[in-house]
Amino acid sequence: MPVLEPDPPNGQKKLLIVLGAMLGVTIVIGIFASVIAP
């Protein structure tokens, strides 16, 4: 597994964006669920 470079190539950058978006959505859903929970 290669070390993440500060300026990764396009494919790796796209993968990082997708993973970051998934993680962000998960966190937002978790916060939203905890807020609306009774």
Side-chain angles (χ1 to χ4, degrees), residues 3-37:
V3 178
L4 293 179
E5 302 166 8
D7 190 15
N10 198 24
Q12 194 174 13
K13 188 177 295 182
K14 188 175 183 181
L15 179 64
L16 287 175
I17 291 173
V18 170
L19 290 175
M22 286 169 53
L23 184 61
V25 168
T26 303
I27 292 173
V28 169
I29 291 175
I31 293 173
F32 187 69
S34 64
V35 167
I36 65 174

